[in-house]
Short mmCIF file of all heavy atoms in Angstrom, two decimals:
data_model
loop_
_atom_site.label_atom_id
_atom_site.label_comp_id
_atom_site.label_asym_id
_atom_site.label_seq_id
_atom_site.Cartn_x
_atom_site.Cartn_y
_atom_site.Cartn_z
N PRO A 64 0.83 -1.21 0.00
CA PRO A 64 0.00 0.00 0.00
C PRO A 64 0.86 1.26 0.00
O PRO A 64 2.04 1.21 0.37
CB PRO A 64 -0.78 -0.12 1.32
CG PRO A 64 0.19 -0.82 2.23
CD PRO A 64 0.96 -1.79 1.35
N ALA A 65 0.25 2.36 -0.40
CA ALA A 65 0.94 3.65 -0.35
C ALA A 65 0.11 4.71 0.38
O ALA A 65 0.66 5.68 0.88
CB ALA A 65 1.26 4.14 -1.75
N LEU A 66 -1.21 4.53 0.41
CA LEU A 66 -2.05 5.54 1.05
C LEU A 66 -3.28 4.88 1.65
O LEU A 66 -3.67 3.77 1.26
CB LEU A 66 -2.47 6.63 0.07
CG LEU A 66 -3.27 6.25 -1.20
CD1 LEU A 66 -4.76 6.17 -0.89
CD2 LEU A 66 -3.03 7.23 -2.31
N PHE A 67 -3.88 5.57 2.60
CA PHE A 67 -5.13 5.14 3.20
C PHE A 67 -6.24 6.05 2.68
O PHE A 67 -6.20 7.27 2.85
CB PHE A 67 -5.05 5.23 4.73
CG PHE A 67 -6.31 4.78 5.43
CD1 PHE A 67 -6.62 3.43 5.52
CD2 PHE A 67 -7.19 5.71 5.97
CE1 PHE A 67 -7.78 3.00 6.16
CE2 PHE A 67 -8.35 5.30 6.61
CZ PHE A 67 -8.64 3.95 6.71
N HIS A 68 -7.22 5.44 1.99
CA HIS A 68 -8.31 6.19 1.39
C HIS A 68 -9.40 6.37 2.44
O HIS A 68 -10.06 5.41 2.86
CB HIS A 68 -8.86 5.42 0.18
CG HIS A 68 -9.77 6.23 -0.68
ND1 HIS A 68 -11.14 6.09 -0.65
CD2 HIS A 68 -9.50 7.19 -1.61
CE1 HIS A 68 -11.68 6.92 -1.52
NE2 HIS A 68 -10.71 7.60 -2.11
N ARG A 69 -9.58 7.59 2.90
CA ARG A 69 -10.47 7.83 4.05
C ARG A 69 -11.92 7.51 3.74
O ARG A 69 -12.64 7.00 4.60
CB ARG A 69 -10.34 9.30 4.49
CG ARG A 69 -8.96 9.63 5.06
CD ARG A 69 -8.88 11.07 5.51
NE ARG A 69 -7.55 11.37 6.06
CZ ARG A 69 -7.21 12.58 6.48
NH1 ARG A 69 -8.08 13.59 6.41
NH2 ARG A 69 -5.99 12.79 6.96
N ARG A 70 -12.36 7.78 2.53
CA ARG A 70 -13.77 7.54 2.22
C ARG A 70 -14.11 6.05 2.25
O ARG A 70 -15.13 5.64 2.82
CB ARG A 70 -14.12 8.14 0.86
CG ARG A 70 -15.59 8.01 0.48
CD ARG A 70 -15.88 8.74 -0.82
NE ARG A 70 -15.56 10.16 -0.72
CZ ARG A 70 -15.62 11.01 -1.75
NH1 ARG A 70 -15.97 10.57 -2.94
NH2 ARG A 70 -15.33 12.28 -1.59
N SER A 71 -13.25 5.24 1.65
CA SER A 71 -13.51 3.80 1.62
C SER A 71 -12.89 3.07 2.82
O SER A 71 -13.20 1.90 3.05
CB SER A 71 -12.95 3.18 0.34
OG SER A 71 -11.54 3.29 0.31
N ARG A 72 -12.01 3.77 3.55
CA ARG A 72 -11.33 3.21 4.72
C ARG A 72 -10.53 1.96 4.35
O ARG A 72 -10.56 0.95 5.04
CB ARG A 72 -12.32 2.92 5.86
CG ARG A 72 -13.11 4.15 6.29
CD ARG A 72 -13.84 3.91 7.60
NE ARG A 72 -12.90 3.65 8.69
CZ ARG A 72 -12.21 4.59 9.34
NH1 ARG A 72 -12.34 5.87 8.99
NH2 ARG A 72 -11.40 4.26 10.33
N ARG A 73 -9.80 2.07 3.23
CA ARG A 73 -8.95 0.97 2.79
C ARG A 73 -7.60 1.53 2.33
O ARG A 73 -7.50 2.68 1.91
CB ARG A 73 -9.59 0.22 1.62
CG ARG A 73 -10.81 -0.61 2.00
CD ARG A 73 -11.29 -1.41 0.80
NE ARG A 73 -11.87 -0.54 -0.22
CZ ARG A 73 -12.11 -0.92 -1.49
NH1 ARG A 73 -11.79 -2.13 -1.88
NH2 ARG A 73 -12.67 -0.09 -2.34
N ASP A 74 -6.56 0.68 2.41
CA ASP A 74 -5.26 1.00 1.83
C ASP A 74 -5.31 0.72 0.33
O ASP A 74 -6.01 -0.20 -0.11
CB ASP A 74 -4.16 0.14 2.46
CG ASP A 74 -3.92 0.49 3.91
OD1 ASP A 74 -3.89 1.69 4.22
OD2 ASP A 74 -3.77 -0.43 4.72
N PHE A 75 -4.51 1.48 -0.43
CA PHE A 75 -4.47 1.27 -1.88
C PHE A 75 -3.06 1.44 -2.43
O PHE A 75 -2.25 2.18 -1.89
CB PHE A 75 -5.38 2.28 -2.61
CG PHE A 75 -6.82 1.97 -2.49
CD1 PHE A 75 -7.61 2.66 -1.59
CD2 PHE A 75 -7.41 0.98 -3.26
CE1 PHE A 75 -8.96 2.37 -1.46
CE2 PHE A 75 -8.75 0.68 -3.14
CZ PHE A 75 -9.53 1.39 -2.24
N ARG A 76 -2.78 0.74 -3.50
CA ARG A 76 -1.73 1.00 -4.47
C ARG A 76 -1.48 -0.18 -5.38
O ARG A 76 -2.40 -0.62 -6.03
CB ARG A 76 -0.44 1.50 -3.83
CG ARG A 76 0.40 2.35 -4.83
CD ARG A 76 -0.41 3.34 -5.65
NE ARG A 76 -0.74 4.58 -4.98
CZ ARG A 76 -1.80 5.33 -5.34
NH1 ARG A 76 -2.59 4.96 -6.32
NH2 ARG A 76 -2.06 6.46 -4.73
N ASN A 77 -0.27 -0.80 -5.38
CA ASN A 77 0.12 -1.64 -6.51
C ASN A 77 0.38 -3.09 -6.12
O ASN A 77 0.82 -3.39 -5.01
CB ASN A 77 1.39 -1.08 -7.15
CG ASN A 77 1.29 0.40 -7.41
OD1 ASN A 77 0.29 0.88 -7.93
ND2 ASN A 77 2.31 1.14 -7.00
N ALA A 78 0.13 -3.99 -7.08
CA ALA A 78 0.39 -5.41 -6.88
C ALA A 78 1.09 -6.00 -8.10
O ALA A 78 0.90 -5.53 -9.23
CB ALA A 78 -0.92 -6.17 -6.63
N VAL A 79 1.89 -7.02 -7.86
CA VAL A 79 2.51 -7.83 -8.91
C VAL A 79 2.03 -9.27 -8.73
O VAL A 79 2.11 -9.82 -7.63
CB VAL A 79 4.05 -7.80 -8.83
CG1 VAL A 79 4.66 -8.80 -9.81
CG2 VAL A 79 4.58 -6.40 -9.10
N LEU A 80 1.51 -9.85 -9.80
CA LEU A 80 1.09 -11.25 -9.81
C LEU A 80 1.98 -12.00 -10.79
O LEU A 80 2.31 -11.47 -11.86
CB LEU A 80 -0.37 -11.39 -10.24
CG LEU A 80 -1.48 -11.07 -9.24
CD1 LEU A 80 -1.37 -9.68 -8.66
CD2 LEU A 80 -2.84 -11.26 -9.89
N SER A 81 2.36 -13.24 -10.44
CA SER A 81 3.29 -13.99 -11.28
C SER A 81 2.96 -15.48 -11.27
O SER A 81 2.60 -16.03 -10.23
CB SER A 81 4.73 -13.79 -10.78
OG SER A 81 5.62 -14.69 -11.41
N ARG A 82 3.12 -16.12 -12.43
CA ARG A 82 2.95 -17.58 -12.50
C ARG A 82 4.17 -18.31 -11.96
O ARG A 82 4.12 -19.51 -11.74
CB ARG A 82 2.68 -18.01 -13.94
CG ARG A 82 1.34 -17.58 -14.46
CD ARG A 82 0.76 -18.52 -15.48
NE ARG A 82 -0.52 -18.01 -15.93
CZ ARG A 82 -1.66 -18.18 -15.31
NH1 ARG A 82 -1.69 -18.87 -14.18
NH2 ARG A 82 -2.79 -17.66 -15.78
N TRP A 83 5.28 -17.58 -11.79
CA TRP A 83 6.50 -18.18 -11.27
C TRP A 83 6.74 -17.72 -9.84
O TRP A 83 6.20 -16.71 -9.40
CB TRP A 83 7.68 -17.82 -12.17
CG TRP A 83 7.51 -18.34 -13.55
CD1 TRP A 83 7.67 -19.63 -13.97
CD2 TRP A 83 7.11 -17.59 -14.70
NE1 TRP A 83 7.40 -19.72 -15.32
CE2 TRP A 83 7.05 -18.49 -15.80
CE3 TRP A 83 6.81 -16.25 -14.94
CZ2 TRP A 83 6.70 -18.10 -17.08
CZ3 TRP A 83 6.45 -15.85 -16.21
CH2 TRP A 83 6.40 -16.77 -17.27
N PRO A 84 7.60 -18.43 -9.11
CA PRO A 84 7.83 -18.07 -7.71
C PRO A 84 8.41 -16.67 -7.55
O PRO A 84 9.28 -16.25 -8.32
CB PRO A 84 8.84 -19.13 -7.24
CG PRO A 84 8.66 -20.28 -8.17
CD PRO A 84 8.29 -19.68 -9.49
N ILE A 85 7.91 -15.96 -6.56
CA ILE A 85 8.45 -14.66 -6.19
C ILE A 85 9.46 -14.89 -5.08
O ILE A 85 9.11 -15.31 -3.98
CB ILE A 85 7.33 -13.70 -5.74
CG1 ILE A 85 6.37 -13.42 -6.90
CG2 ILE A 85 7.92 -12.39 -5.20
CD1 ILE A 85 5.15 -12.61 -6.52
N GLU A 86 10.73 -14.60 -5.37
CA GLU A 86 11.80 -14.90 -4.42
C GLU A 86 12.05 -13.75 -3.46
O GLU A 86 12.47 -13.96 -2.31
CB GLU A 86 13.09 -15.24 -5.17
CG GLU A 86 12.97 -16.51 -6.02
CD GLU A 86 14.27 -16.93 -6.63
OE1 GLU A 86 15.14 -16.05 -6.84
OE2 GLU A 86 14.45 -18.14 -6.88
N GLN A 87 11.84 -12.53 -3.92
CA GLN A 87 12.03 -11.34 -3.08
C GLN A 87 10.99 -10.31 -3.49
O GLN A 87 10.47 -10.32 -4.61
CB GLN A 87 13.42 -10.74 -3.26
CG GLN A 87 14.56 -11.61 -2.77
CD GLN A 87 15.91 -10.95 -3.00
OE1 GLN A 87 16.15 -10.32 -4.03
NE2 GLN A 87 16.80 -11.07 -2.02
N ASP A 88 10.69 -9.39 -2.57
CA ASP A 88 9.80 -8.28 -2.92
C ASP A 88 10.19 -7.06 -2.12
O ASP A 88 10.90 -7.15 -1.12
CB ASP A 88 8.33 -8.66 -2.68
CG ASP A 88 8.06 -9.06 -1.24
OD1 ASP A 88 7.91 -8.17 -0.40
OD2 ASP A 88 7.99 -10.28 -0.96
N ALA A 89 9.75 -5.89 -2.59
CA ALA A 89 10.12 -4.64 -1.93
C ALA A 89 9.11 -3.55 -2.27
O ALA A 89 8.44 -3.59 -3.31
CB ALA A 89 11.52 -4.20 -2.36
N LYS A 90 9.04 -2.58 -1.37
CA LYS A 90 8.26 -1.37 -1.59
C LYS A 90 9.23 -0.24 -1.89
O LYS A 90 10.05 0.12 -1.05
CB LYS A 90 7.43 -1.06 -0.35
CG LYS A 90 6.62 0.23 -0.43
CD LYS A 90 5.82 0.41 0.86
CE LYS A 90 4.99 1.67 0.84
NZ LYS A 90 4.16 1.80 2.08
N LEU A 91 9.15 0.30 -3.10
CA LEU A 91 10.05 1.36 -3.54
C LEU A 91 9.31 2.70 -3.46
O LEU A 91 8.36 2.94 -4.21
CB LEU A 91 10.52 1.09 -4.97
CG LEU A 91 11.51 2.08 -5.59
CD1 LEU A 91 12.80 2.11 -4.80
CD2 LEU A 91 11.77 1.72 -7.05
N VAL A 92 9.70 3.55 -2.52
CA VAL A 92 9.05 4.85 -2.34
C VAL A 92 9.64 5.82 -3.36
O VAL A 92 10.86 6.00 -3.44
CB VAL A 92 9.24 5.38 -0.91
CG1 VAL A 92 8.58 6.75 -0.76
CG2 VAL A 92 8.64 4.39 0.09
N LEU A 93 8.78 6.45 -4.14
CA LEU A 93 9.21 7.32 -5.23
C LEU A 93 9.34 8.77 -4.76
O LEU A 93 8.67 9.20 -3.81
CB LEU A 93 8.23 7.22 -6.39
CG LEU A 93 7.99 5.81 -6.92
CD1 LEU A 93 7.03 5.86 -8.11
CD2 LEU A 93 9.31 5.14 -7.32
N PRO A 94 10.18 9.56 -5.43
CA PRO A 94 10.36 10.96 -5.04
C PRO A 94 9.15 11.81 -5.41
O PRO A 94 8.27 11.39 -6.15
CB PRO A 94 11.59 11.38 -5.85
CG PRO A 94 11.58 10.48 -7.06
CD PRO A 94 11.05 9.16 -6.56
N HIS A 95 9.11 13.03 -4.86
CA HIS A 95 8.12 14.05 -5.16
C HIS A 95 6.72 13.72 -4.61
O HIS A 95 5.90 13.11 -5.30
CB HIS A 95 8.03 14.32 -6.66
CG HIS A 95 9.34 14.68 -7.29
ND1 HIS A 95 10.03 15.83 -6.94
CD2 HIS A 95 10.10 14.05 -8.21
CE1 HIS A 95 11.15 15.90 -7.64
NE2 HIS A 95 11.22 14.82 -8.42
N PRO A 96 6.44 14.11 -3.38
CA PRO A 96 5.10 13.88 -2.82
C PRO A 96 4.06 14.74 -3.53
O PRO A 96 4.37 15.73 -4.19
CB PRO A 96 5.25 14.30 -1.36
CG PRO A 96 6.38 15.30 -1.38
CD PRO A 96 7.32 14.81 -2.44
N SER A 97 2.80 14.35 -3.37
CA SER A 97 1.67 15.10 -3.91
C SER A 97 1.66 16.53 -3.37
O SER A 97 1.92 16.76 -2.19
CB SER A 97 0.37 14.39 -3.54
OG SER A 97 -0.73 15.25 -3.67
N ARG A 98 1.35 17.47 -4.23
CA ARG A 98 1.26 18.88 -3.81
C ARG A 98 0.21 19.08 -2.72
O ARG A 98 0.34 19.93 -1.86
CB ARG A 98 0.89 19.76 -4.99
CG ARG A 98 1.91 19.87 -6.10
CD ARG A 98 1.49 20.95 -7.08
NE ARG A 98 2.39 21.03 -8.22
CZ ARG A 98 2.12 20.57 -9.43
NH1 ARG A 98 0.95 19.96 -9.65
NH2 ARG A 98 2.98 20.70 -10.41
N HIS A 99 -0.85 18.28 -2.78
CA HIS A 99 -2.01 18.52 -1.92
C HIS A 99 -2.00 17.61 -0.68
O HIS A 99 -2.01 18.10 0.45
CB HIS A 99 -3.30 18.32 -2.72
CG HIS A 99 -3.32 19.12 -3.99
ND1 HIS A 99 -3.44 20.49 -4.00
CD2 HIS A 99 -3.20 18.74 -5.30
CE1 HIS A 99 -3.41 20.92 -5.24
NE2 HIS A 99 -3.27 19.88 -6.05
N ALA A 100 -1.96 16.31 -0.88
CA ALA A 100 -2.04 15.38 0.25
C ALA A 100 -0.68 15.09 0.88
O ALA A 100 -0.61 14.53 1.98
CB ALA A 100 -2.67 14.07 -0.21
N ARG A 101 0.42 15.45 0.18
CA ARG A 101 1.78 15.18 0.64
C ARG A 101 2.07 13.69 0.76
O ARG A 101 2.96 13.28 1.50
CB ARG A 101 2.07 15.89 1.98
CG ARG A 101 1.78 17.37 1.98
CD ARG A 101 2.47 18.11 0.85
NE ARG A 101 3.92 18.04 0.94
CZ ARG A 101 4.75 18.46 -0.03
NH1 ARG A 101 4.25 18.96 -1.17
NH2 ARG A 101 6.05 18.37 0.14
N THR A 102 1.32 12.86 0.06
CA THR A 102 1.57 11.42 0.04
C THR A 102 2.57 11.08 -1.06
O THR A 102 2.70 11.80 -2.04
CB THR A 102 0.27 10.64 -0.19
OG1 THR A 102 -0.36 11.12 -1.40
CG2 THR A 102 -0.68 10.83 0.98
N HIS A 103 3.26 9.95 -0.89
CA HIS A 103 4.25 9.50 -1.86
C HIS A 103 3.70 8.35 -2.69
O HIS A 103 3.04 7.45 -2.18
CB HIS A 103 5.52 9.03 -1.15
CG HIS A 103 6.42 10.15 -0.73
ND1 HIS A 103 7.44 10.62 -1.51
CD2 HIS A 103 6.43 10.87 0.41
CE1 HIS A 103 8.06 11.60 -0.89
NE2 HIS A 103 7.47 11.77 0.29
N ARG A 104 4.01 8.38 -3.97
CA ARG A 104 3.73 7.24 -4.84
C ARG A 104 4.80 6.17 -4.63
O ARG A 104 5.90 6.46 -4.17
CB ARG A 104 3.72 7.69 -6.31
CG ARG A 104 2.64 8.72 -6.64
CD ARG A 104 1.29 8.07 -6.73
NE ARG A 104 0.22 9.06 -6.86
CZ ARG A 104 -0.87 8.87 -7.58
NH1 ARG A 104 -1.05 7.73 -8.24
NH2 ARG A 104 -1.81 9.79 -7.64
N ILE A 105 4.46 4.93 -4.99
CA ILE A 105 5.40 3.83 -4.81
C ILE A 105 5.43 2.95 -6.05
O ILE A 105 4.56 3.05 -6.93
CB ILE A 105 5.03 2.95 -3.60
CG1 ILE A 105 3.74 2.16 -3.89
CG2 ILE A 105 4.90 3.77 -2.32
CD1 ILE A 105 3.55 0.94 -3.00
#
C-alpha cells in the first residue's frame, strides 16, 4: 500500500502477480510527494 483512502477506509496502491515463484519483494518509495495530500507514490 501507499495511502489510506479515508472515504472507503482501505489501503491502496500496486500489486505484482506472477505464474512463477516470487523470491524477493520490496516497496520502492518514489520521489516528489503530492502537492495537496503530501503522500508519496510507490
Side-chain angles (χ1 to χ4, degrees):
L66 60 85
F67 181 75
H68 193 258
R69 294 181 180 178
R70 183 175 300 175
S71 65
R72 303 193 62 79
R73 290 185 290 164
D74 292 317
F75 285 101
R76 206 43 81 204
N77 312 313
V79 172
L80 282 56
S81 170
R82 291 210 181 277
W83 298 284
I85 296 174
E86 297 186 333
Q87 294 179 320
D88 58 80
K90 177 179 180 177
L91 182 62
V92 179
L93 304 182
H95 305 297
S97 162
R98 293 189 184 105
H99 308 290
R101 307 307 297 171
T102 55
H103 280 268
R104 298 284 172 145
I105 70 160

